[in-house]
Amino acid sequence: MADHDLVIIGGGPAGLTAGLYAARANMKAILFEAKDIGGELLNTDLIEDYPGYESITGRELAEKMGAHATKFGLKIQPYSPVKKISSDGDWKVITMEDGTTHRAHAVIVTVGGEPIKLGVPGEEEFHGRGVSYCAVCDGAFFKGEDLAVIGGGDSAFQEGLFLTRFARKLSLVHRRTDFRAQAILQDRLLGMEQVTAITPATVKEIGGDTQVRWMDVERNGSIERISVGGVFVFIGFKPVGRHLFDEHIDHDENGYLLTDQYMRTNIPGVYACGDTRAQLAKQVTTAVGDATTAVLHAERYIEELKHMRRSFPEATSEVLEREVERMTVKRYLAGQTIIREGDPADSFMIMTKGAASVRQNGPNGEREVSTIKPGDFFGEIGLLSGTPRNATIRATAPSEVLVLDAAGFRDLIENSTETKQRVQTSMEERLAKVGGKTGS
Ligand code: NAP
């Protein structure tokens, strides 16, 4: 079993972006892709709405994104299908189809989805013999033939445009008269001489001999048989991310994974991005944005988890994960006050970087009573005793502190007698040092 900070599953635009950021942050990350790197980009001829590239082929953009991430040190493993993701304490265990396993503190799922099928007679039988779900992959096999595209969205129009390079005639079959594809794509495709829109119409059957030769289409209550050598189906896409989990992962009624604004799913340490996530748009731009957010949050989550594990080795994984999800990070410059004597005690803190001085006011002014270094926790006295802070804590170097609210603190100590005892002992030791005043 290999251990990683982060495992990214899926090598489309979202996965490659997450990988780029992870590699640049020096995280121990690996990306698994079941097929070639590029995801849906490989099924797309031209991309014309990715800022900075007026027009670029999907394959070229995929290659550029892959090269960019590997240049910064990302480990990419294509042809490595993942079978399932499960939790083992606060580790995520990734089991590959070949039976090998990997462990990671966090997982970003960017596995996209698969094409929706028409579900009509002949579709399955002729898949690979004239029925296709990828014009870029198969279009060139149909040079000079009459072809059909089914669907009325961006994919149908985008792929239809690609097929006009090969098709003698192209029929666009859509179940409504209005199309949902972007206007610019509609104008381009429907303005072409060899293209005929057949609407409102539904495909009833696809048939032929060794290859597709015809399809039956119902329009206005009657069935027409249209001669075609190829039927390209683009009627949408169904997400596959949730099938990787045995345990429940929140998803909408169509199977898209639900996340918050940080791309977190309901399973701590599991993030979802791109086309497998429930959201308004499925664009390269949104996939890239999702992944940026996810990996920046995951980086913080992993760091916090490691700090919590070091500070509270006896706490259960579930409790640690829960508290990490509640925590915030605060940063202080040298000289800034972290806690002020007399303020209400509403949080518990763990220093992760820097140093601080614990100071109390006395008859001769403020004096240092102790110091705080990375790994130390503080702020427990006021929370346990219900009194205001009994000391001022001031950063003496640029410092970073994890802040847990009062409810999280209670959850942490109530779930482990060992933690409770340790925090209690620390409070007593500190109180002994400062002469019994309760508070910070
Ligand atoms: P989509 O936008 O969901 O469109 C699916 C089309 O298929 C719709 O026109 C729908 O009809 C039709 N349809 C659905 N079920 C059907 C059925 N059972 N029988 C017949 N027709 C059916 O899917 P998509 O075109 O694959 O696009 C997916 C996402 O990727 C979209 O968000 C899209 O914007 C994005 N995309 C963007 C670009 C781009 O250039 N920026 C390119 C490709 C895809 P109704 O309209 O009647 O529902």
Side-chain angles (χ1 to χ4, degrees), residues 46-284:
L46 278 185
I47 313 269
E48 296 187 323
D49 49 13
Y50 190 68
Y53 293 100
E54 235 169 77
S55 182
I56 184 166
T57 65
R59 180 162 290 280
E60 202 184 342
L61 186 57
E63 280 165 7
K64 280 181 186 293
M65 285 185 173
H68 193 168
T70 41
K71 181 183 165 212
F72 282 98
L74 177 69
K75 266 207 259 169
I76 300 184
Q77 266 185 232
Y79 312 107
S80 305
V82 169
K83 190 169 172 201
K84 77 173 180 162
I85 305 164
S86 48
S87 297
D88 176 13
D90 53 345
W91 284 99
K92 307 295 161 242
V93 179
I94 297 94
T95 307
M96 313 301 289
E97 288 283 358
D98 66 7
T100 56
T101 52
H102 296 258
R103 282 199 317 177
H105 298 296
V107 178
I108 300 183
V109 179
T110 72
V111 290
E114 58 186 26
I116 297 177
K117 308 276 161 55
L118 282 167
V120 298
E123 182 184 22
E124 209 180 313
E125 184 190 341
F126 287 100
H127 182 194
R129 296 190 290 131
V131 172
S132 169
Y133 304 89
C134 178
V136 177
C137 323
D138 301 330
F141 299 121
F142 296 89
K143 213 164 179 175
E145 301 213 36
D146 291 348
L147 301 179
V149 164
I150 321 298
D154 283 337
S155 298
F157 278 76
Q158 189 77 269
E159 304 299 307
L161 276 166
F162 181 74
L163 288 172
T164 58
R165 298 180 192 181
F166 312 106
R168 195 167 64 104
K169 280 196 322 194
L170 182 73
S171 302
L172 176 75
V173 181
H174 178 42
R175 64 184 179 183
R176 294 186 297 127
T177 37
D178 290 334
F179 302 104
R180 63 169 74 206
Q182 297 167 40
I184 187 170
L185 295 176
Q186 293 192 33
D187 291 347
R188 271 196 220 157
L189 186 68
L190 298 174
M192 298 182 94
E193 220 171 86
Q194 83 251 54
V195 177
T196 310
I198 303 179
T199 66
T202 48
V203 177
K204 290 292 174 194
E205 189 174 346
I206 298 167
D209 37 48
T210 54
Q211 286 289 316
V212 166
R213 300 287 174 212
W214 52 265
M215 64 177 180
D216 281 348
V217 166
E218 185 177 6
R219 181 160 51 164
N220 300 326
S222 54
I223 304 270
E224 289 170 55
R225 180 156 292 192
I226 299 172
S227 293
V228 282
V231 179
F232 287 80
V233 182
F234 301 107
I235 59 165
F237 169 91
K238 66 175 190 259
V240 294
R242 84 184 157 100
H243 302 297
L244 291 173
F245 296 86
D246 283 340
E247 66 186 298
H248 173 78
I249 184 160
D250 285 350
H251 56 82
D252 70 8
E253 68 280 10
N254 297 316
Y256 288 95
L257 298 183
L258 296 175
T259 68
D260 66 4
Q261 79 265 36
Y262 301 120
M263 309 302 141
R264 290 186 292 191
T265 65
N266 65 304
I267 304 176
V270 175
Y271 297 76
C273 303
D275 290 355
T276 211
R277 174 175 102 82
Q279 59 175 319
L280 178 67
K282 290 190 196 59
Q283 304 287 325
V284 185

Side-chain angles (χ1 to χ4, degrees), residues 5-6 8 12-31 50 65-76 108 273 284-300 302:
D5 281 336
L6 177 69
I8 300 160
L16 292 170
T17 305
L20 169 68
Y21 274 77
R24 285 173 59 90
N26 253 341
M27 291 166 83
K28 203 176 161 212
I30 188 162
L31 184 153
Y50 190 68
M65 285 185 173
H68 193 168
T70 41
K71 181 183 165 212
F72 282 98
L74 177 69
K75 266 207 259 169
I76 300 184
I108 300 183
C273 303
V284 185
T285 47
T286 48
V288 160
D290 285 359
T292 310
T293 305
V295 75
L296 292 179
H297 193 283
E299 189 188 350
R300 213 175 80 185
I302 293 165

